[in-house]
């Protein structure tokens, strides 16, 4: 059966939990539109996250990859549009590293767009009663690093031809502070977003949403 790889991060910045790992864990083994979901955790470390993602892609040869992370302060599921080729860490990662003004890939382009149908996913989420928005920045920390590295691999590895990928940020869980989203909503939102991404090859055009 074709696979979908979904990743979340371990907790960082002194938090006890990361909603992205909590949510994707619940999707592991699920069958969606003829695909089996494989969920994996990535470390919130610049030195290891892309190496582990690369190994997961090589091992599972997924048809689609959705990486997810926590974005404290956001109140909706953020469908990220663009990954940029810069690292500018505002806090240290889980290994104490805090790179400033360095590229993710010295020989890579300035940016990559998500190849997931973010507007169709937005519509599906809003129709499902889940707060959602299109986001124009995944930041410049480990999440953007993984998003850029994912898109660079998919764009440059011939073995990944036709594989689509993207990134979604999730709000805090209620126990982390406000604004927040419940784990149930986050899990259900990721299912809706993934099902839509698997079914939709060509994105729709639509306003970026009420939260813009
Ligand atoms: N969020 C961070 C890194 C790990 C995570 O879950 C970010 O937005 O970069």
């Amino acid at each position: 059966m074709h696979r979908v790889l979904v990743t979340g991060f371990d907790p960082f910045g002194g938090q006890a939990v990361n909603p992205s790992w909590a949510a994707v864990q619940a999707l592991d083994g699920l069958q969606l539109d003829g695909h089996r979901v494989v969920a994996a955790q990535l470390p919130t470390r610049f030195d290891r996250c892309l190496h582990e993602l690369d190994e997961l892609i090589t091992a599972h040869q997924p048809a689609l990859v959705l990486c997810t992370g926590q974005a404290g302060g956001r109140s909706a599921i953020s469908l990220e549009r663009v990954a940029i080729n810069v690292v500018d860490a505002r806090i240290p990662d889980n290994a104490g590293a805090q790179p400033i003004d360095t590229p993710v890939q010295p020989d890579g382009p300035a940016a990559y767009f998500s190849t997931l149908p973010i507007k169709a996913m937005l519509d599906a989420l809003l129709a499902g009663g889940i707060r959602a928005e299109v986001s124009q920045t995944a930041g410049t920390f480990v999440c953007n690093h993984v998003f850029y590295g994912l898109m660079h691999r998919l764009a440059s590895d011939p073995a990944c031809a036709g594989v689509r990928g993207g990134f979604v940020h999730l709000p805090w869980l209620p126990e982390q502070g406000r604004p927040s989203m419940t784990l149930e909503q986050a899990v259900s939102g990721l299912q809706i977003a993934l099902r839509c991404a698997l079914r939709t090859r060509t994105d729709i055009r639509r306003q970026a949403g009420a939260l813009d």
Side-chain angles (χ1 to χ4, degrees):
M1 187 179 282
H2 293 300
R3 294 190 178 167
V4 172
L5 175 63
V6 187
T7 68
F9 283 100
D10 61 349
F12 68 101
Q15 300 269 346
V17 67
N18 189 318
S20 65
W21 174 237
V24 305
Q25 232 180 330
L27 302 180
D28 191 48
L30 201 73
Q31 292 192 19
L32 281 179
D33 247 54
H35 295 71
R36 183 186 300 281
V37 177
V38 176
Q41 190 187 75
L42 295 178
T44 306
R45 292 178 58 145
F46 287 105
D47 62 345
R48 292 229 317 254
C49 57
L50 280 182
H51 179 65
E52 294 197 14
L53 178 65
D54 271 334
E55 287 192 335
L56 287 162
I57 291 172
T58 301
H60 296 291
Q61 302 189 323
L64 186 148
V65 184
L66 179 67
C67 295
T68 74
Q70 159 189 309
R74 294 192 191 176
S75 57
I77 292 187
S78 294
L79 305 163
E80 299 295 349
R81 192 197 292 266
V82 58
I84 59 173
N85 194 9
V86 69
V87 181
D88 199 13
R90 83 197 135 72
I91 56 169
D93 72 4
N94 283 351
Q98 192 170 4
I100 307 287
D101 293 340
T102 59
V104 180
Q105 283 285 344
D107 54 347
Y112 285 104
F113 287 117
S114 171
T115 47
L116 300 184
I118 53 172
K119 294 293 182 72
M121 290 157 78
L122 175 66
D123 255 10
L125 285 163
L126 296 177
I130 308 285
R131 290 194 309 283
E133 64 188 338
V134 165
S135 162
Q136 317 299 350
T137 174
T140 53
F141 192 47
V142 182
C143 287
N144 175 74
H145 189 79
V146 157
F147 185 16
Y148 187 94
L150 165 67
M151 301 316 296
H152 189 70
R153 165 88 189 262
L154 298 186
S156 52
D157 179 356
C160 293
V163 178
R164 296 180 296 147
F167 197 97
V168 162
H169 265 118
L170 299 172
W172 276 328
L173 293 169
E175 64 262 35
Q176 295 178 280
R178 286 156 72 105
S180 68
M181 179 174 279
T182 65
L183 182 59
E184 292 69 24
Q185 280 186 310
V187 171
S188 146
L190 288 180
Q191 283 190 47
I192 291 170
L194 277 173
R195 195 175 282 116
C196 173
L198 289 168
R199 288 180 183 172
T200 312
R201 286 262 152 199
T202 308
D203 203 4
I204 57 171
R205 288 169 78 96
R206 146 192 223 296
Q207 283 191 318
L211 293 167
D212 256 1

